[in-house]
Amino acid sequence: MESTQRSPVTAAITLAALVFLFLPLAVLVLFSFHSTGGLSFPFQGFSLRWYREVFGSNEFRSAVLTSLWVALPASGATLVLGTLAAYGLSRSSSRLRGPLALLFFLPITLPGLFLGVSLVVFFSRIDFTLSLKTVVIAHLVYVFPYFLLIARAALDRLDPALEEAAADLGASPVRVFRRVTLPQIWPLLVGATCLAFALSFDEFIITFFVIGSDSTLPLLIWSRLRRTIDPSLNVISTLLLALSLALWIVAFVLTLRSERRRARSLTEAV
Amino acid sequence: MTESAEHPLRLEGVTHRFGRVTALDRVSLGIEDGELVTLLGPSGCGKTTLLRIIAGFMRPTEGRVVLQGRDVTRVPPHKRPVNMVFQRSTLFPHLDVFENVAFGLRIAGIPRDEMRSRVEEALALVRLEGYGPRRSHELSGGQMQRVSLARALVNRPKVLLLDEPLSALDLKIRLEMEAELRRVHRETGATFVYVTHDQREALALSDRIVVLDQGRVEQAGTPDEIYRAPASPFAARFVGNANVIPVEVVRAEDGRATVSIAGREISVPCAETTSAGAAWLVVRPEVMRLAAGSGEAMRGVVRDLAFRGAGYSYHVEVSGLSEPVKAEVPAGVGAPFGVGSEVAVTWDLNASGLLPREG
């Protein structure tokens, strides 16, 4: 595991890769604070001018609301359905579990383009008018397997003997879930919901196909890109980045916490 | 009161099959009120399956589980008036000790004051007063199992089930916990069904032992009965590690049999029903005596010895016997025999038993 010799070449390549990955992000964030309309160096001073403009714009505010309108129900529905699916998977017979899990997780491998096109075709076939509702449904399809992946891992690591102990002490299956299963897995479920929310909030390709006349935040950026290019785009992108980052951090902290608690109870039990 | 109500727990022809494997084969058993019964057997004998069937985690393929006269075979675990202490700690990690013990009472909707006093009482019973606010990861293995015991007993179960509760503990803690279990059993007067593979533990704890092998009851009786008069070669070997030697009965009359062993004939006590033919001779290792020198006795060569503190365990190869003879000899009488020594093997013939042998 431990490398005793560190080659300077490896370090240089790593550094270059990191710069390549993060420099564009840094430049994007930097220019969101630009005092002029230019998007290239030289940098001519800091200002919150573009932030004021973006927050003052009706277009931006309605796009944020639209994105929330989509991401909240999509991640909420994912939380409920995904938890149920994960619970069902972990309790199903071992013969069914493999094929079922495969079916549930398969959508992860589908390209967004494919998912978008097939959903549009499907919705038009059943005469379902494209609207934000179709976006919610499409996002549910998109984020569900990611959520399930985490929820299932959380449930698989639970000691089934704890649930048996609770049943033995008189708890009905519903109470076992509420008083023993849920209290142990909720941090991971909340974390997974944050990820689902972030995925939905940022999603572009599928949304592009199945949305009607509305505009989510990523779509607003895209349409603005076609008109003018000014630092307000950087501002919106930076805000999106900040939100995603915050959600990922929440998810990460929650996962880490439950992981630590688990490790502690395991080491003490042995 | 009906006949069946006399037993807090009765098993009637309980059979369980996993596919083609028969884990339990027509097990019938009545457990008396306040009794501590041990289900003893090697791993895979079906003892844990039987316990899980009693708890309701599994449904037997055939047969009935009757709790206080009520058939509960198809009743789910949360509706059965039994509670279980598991092999590993199953304390809820998100709850403290108090809440763990209170779990069953909260589910049952016991009023707050009564709940509080019953939890305190249960913790006092297992000598963990004041441990209420602790978390399970702050407890030692022995303390965890005490909390599990309190968590089960606080519900005043008709029958307490214990699934090898001490097997994960260190020897020293295990011996302490055995004494604790005996005390708790005395103080509560509850009915205990205890599963173990440890014959020493079973002998030390039980009012009655049920020896299981391959899903069948081999023998049921008090520890003394099982130890002194095993009913089968399996019971003899499993409880007390007895020598079980194939012999031929030459003739049997008036409660004594003449048997041929390793080319000589000896006279041992036997049952009235014993007749000439194949039989098993059962001799406990601690009855065996080893001596130096020659004589009339059976002779053998020491193949292995182990110091046990109070004495030595020997394996002696005797010509004419397929398996080495096991002997437990107290220390302090002269120097031990080394590996390779020639010894004379003798024992008090009246302390040996005969069991029928097929073919």
Side-chain angles (χ1 to χ4, degrees), chain B residues 109-146:
Chain B
I110 303 293
R112 179 176 290 270
D113 290 342
E114 188 193 339
M115 180 196 79
R116 183 159 290 279
S117 67
R118 273 171 72 174
V119 171
E120 301 294 348
E121 204 178 293
L123 284 175
L125 180 68
V126 297
R127 302 197 172 161
L128 287 177
E129 296 102 329
Y131 276 69
R134 300 231 192 160
R135 291 272 170 167
S136 58
H137 63 81
E138 295 168 321
L139 303 176
S140 69
Q143 288 170 338
M144 283 191 208
Q145 287 305 66
R146 282 168 199 245

Side-chain angles (χ1 to χ4, degrees), chain A residues 100-133:
Chain A
L100 267 180
L102 187 70
L103 280 177
F104 274 129
F105 294 131
L106 209 57
I108 281 189
T109 63
L110 298 180
L113 200 63
F114 178 86
L115 213 56
V117 171
S118 50
L119 280 167
V120 170
V121 172
F122 173 70
F123 286 136
S124 72
R125 267 294 165 83
I126 62 169
D127 280 331
F128 202 90
T129 320
L130 295 183
S131 68
L132 289 183
K133 281 185 204 128

Side-chain angles (χ1 to χ4, degrees), chain A residues 8 110 130 186 214 220:
Chain A
L110 298 180
L130 295 183
W186 75 261
D214 297 282
L220 175 71

Side-chain angles (χ1 to χ4, degrees), chain A residues 27-42:
Chain A
V27 170
L28 182 133
V29 174
L30 178 68
F31 277 92
S32 74
F33 295 103
H34 208 192
S35 56
T36 73
L39 276 176
S40 56
F41 288 104

Side-chain angles (χ1 to χ4, degrees), chain A residues 3 5-20:
Chain A
S3 75
Q5 289 193 339
R6 290 195 183 84
S7 146
V9 179
T10 317
I13 293 174
T14 310
L15 190 68
L18 286 174
V19 167
F20 180 76

Side-chain angles (χ1 to χ4, degrees), chain A residues 159-173 175-176 179-181 183-184 261 264-265 268-270, chain B residues 52 55 57 77-78 80 82-84 86 88-94 100 103-104 106-107 137 139 144 151-152 155:
Chain A
D159 185 355
L162 291 184
E163 294 183 0
E164 284 189 344
D168 183 66
L169 292 165
S172 62
R175 277 179 146 169
V176 171
R179 305 187 69 146
V180 173
T181 314
Q184 293 182 78
R261 193 160 73 178
R264 208 170 45 189
S265 70
E268 297 296 325
V270 170
Chain B
R52 292 176 64 78
F57 299 131
H78 66 277
R80 293 191 188 197
V82 299
N83 288 112
M84 182 139 154
F86 293 78
R88 291 172 299 122
S89 161
T90 53
L91 297 184
F92 305 123
H94 58 292
N100 262 287
F103 192 90
R106 281 200 192 279
I107 297 282
H137 63 81
L139 303 176
M144 283 191 208
R151 183 177 71 173
N155 306 294

Side-chain angles (χ1 to χ4, degrees), chain B residues 291-315:
Chain B
S294 57
E296 286 296 291
M298 220 158 70
R299 306 201 55 79
V301 178
V302 173
R303 287 298 174 210
D304 186 36
L305 87 161
F307 184 49
R308 304 280 184 209
Y312 291 90
S313 298
Y314 288 94
H315 281 188

Side-chain angles (χ1 to χ4, degrees), chain B residues 244-258:
Chain B
V244 181
I245 305 161
V247 293
E248 294 292 329
V249 174
V250 181
R251 62 185 170 275
E253 53 191 12
D254 302 329
R256 285 202 82 82
T258 303

